[in-house]
Amino acid sequence: MRLLMVGDIVGRPGRTAAHRLIPALRREHGVDFVVANAENAAGGIGITREIAVELLEQGGVDVVTLGNHAWAKREVYGYLDGEPRVLRPVNYPPGAPGHGHGLFQTPAGPVGVAVVQGRVFMEAIDDPFRAADAVLADLRRAAPIVLVDLHAEATSEKQAIGWYVDGRATAVLGTHTHVQTADERVLPNGTAYITDVGMTGPIDSVIGMSRETVLARFTTSVPTRFEVADGPARLCAVLVEADAGTGRALRIERIQVMSEGK
């Protein structure tokens, strides 16, 4: 089975790049299942129902994952409750809108997907290690293939969780920091790992945001409103090939593709 994980989609430039490139990548690589993180798809923060529907119905995406910005648009809460293909982090406390994991059927077999959010330099939510224990035990009963979107800030925490679940997940793929890392590998017990998949969004930016607005905050310490940058965009992703019977990853490959036009 071949799985494609698309890194954080940022604003309109990221959405345009995703819509243009994901269907082509599916065909080129014979992809069976696509997961895309879109927690920054709506103006750089959060997601709307309309954006999620476009990605799922027209953009070649099978599951949309979110992170700590899942709650940025309050009007989407009801949609999260009713749409199992859009996942927020599993380790928010009971009562949070939406679903943190799901089981999905494909022609190549079932796939489990979960989002786990870190705590270092982020919100003090439930323990991601214990959350990973629970969700992997649940999903592995139904599907040998399980992909984890690991949404976290600290590289050390991401690596620690990757080692912690090695052999229990097919892939642990980092999101949130928007810069693709070069440490992709298959861990000894068969889990594909990368610290960060990267960003799908404007390249002449600071992690997707306008350079001018970000530099103003850094140089003056005065709060400024960030805006999504304009200009050419790039899609960052990883391709994971796995044994559909055992769930073990066979290889992982980084992908970067420029999107032409606006």
Side-chain angles (χ1 to χ4, degrees):
M1 184 181 291
R2 292 188 172 187
L3 312 169
L4 184 72
M5 174 73 192
V6 178
D8 303 52
I9 297 171
V10 179
R12 184 178 298 276
R15 300 198 310 270
T16 300
H19 281 280
R20 283 179 176 161
L21 298 173
I22 290 173
L25 288 171
R26 290 194 78 135
R27 293 189 297 269
E28 178 183 351
H29 295 284
V31 173
D32 299 295
F33 194 76
V34 175
V35 178
N37 187 291
E39 71 147 6
N40 300 291
I45 182 168
I47 192 169
T48 65
R49 179 187 183 280
E50 292 73 21
I51 289 172
V53 168
E54 286 178 359
L55 289 169
L56 292 168
E57 304 301 335
Q58 304 168 31
V61 175
D62 295 297
V63 170
V64 171
T65 56
L66 308 173
N68 57 305
H69 295 316
W71 324 114
K73 312 294 184 189
R74 182 172 291 274
E75 62 272 21
V76 83
Y77 290 6
Y79 176 69
L80 297 181
D81 281 330
E83 177 49 83
R85 295 175 297 172
V86 181
L87 302 177
R88 48 79 169 167
V90 70
N91 49 322
Y92 274 88
H99 314 274
H101 69 285
L103 181 67
F104 307 94
Q105 299 300 323
T106 81
V111 177
V113 181
V115 187
V116 175
Q117 184 171 309
R119 294 192 296 187
V120 178
F121 309 127
M122 299 184 77
E123 291 90 343
I125 57 175
D126 293 348
D127 181 357
F129 292 87
R130 302 291 88 76
D133 285 339
V135 75
L136 290 174
D138 184 21
L139 290 174
R140 286 298 295 270
R141 283 194 291 265
I145 301 284
V146 178
L147 182 151
V148 177
D149 177 341
L150 178 53
H151 198 79
E153 181 78 29
T155 55
S156 57
E157 186 180 31
K158 287 181 175 180
Q159 288 187 342
I161 293 173
W163 284 111
Y164 184 70
V165 305
D166 181 25
R168 294 188 284 156
T170 303
V172 174
L173 309 175
T175 60
H176 179 66
T177 57
H178 292 205
V179 178
Q180 190 178 74
T181 55
D183 60 339
E184 76 281 6
R185 62 177 294 195
V186 177
L187 299 176
N189 292 318
T191 295
Y193 172 85
I194 189 169
T195 298
D196 204 282
V197 176
M199 175 189 76
T200 298
I203 60 171
D204 294 330
S205 68
V206 178
I207 62 171
M209 298 296 110
S210 158
R211 292 169 294 174
E212 292 75 16
T213 56
V214 175
L215 286 171
R217 181 177 295 189
F218 274 121
T219 57
T220 67
S221 296
V222 175
T224 57
R225 180 181 177 180
F226 291 162
E227 298 176 357
V228 176
D230 294 322
R234 176 173 57 202
L235 178 145
C236 289
V238 294
L239 178 68
V240 175
E241 186 173 349
D243 185 312
T246 66
R248 290 178 64 94
L250 304 174
R251 70 182 186 95
I252 179 172
E253 175 188 348
R254 278 183 293 131
I255 293 173
Q256 290 190 9
V257 187
M258 288 296 300
S259 176
E260 297 180 358
K262 292 185 179 180

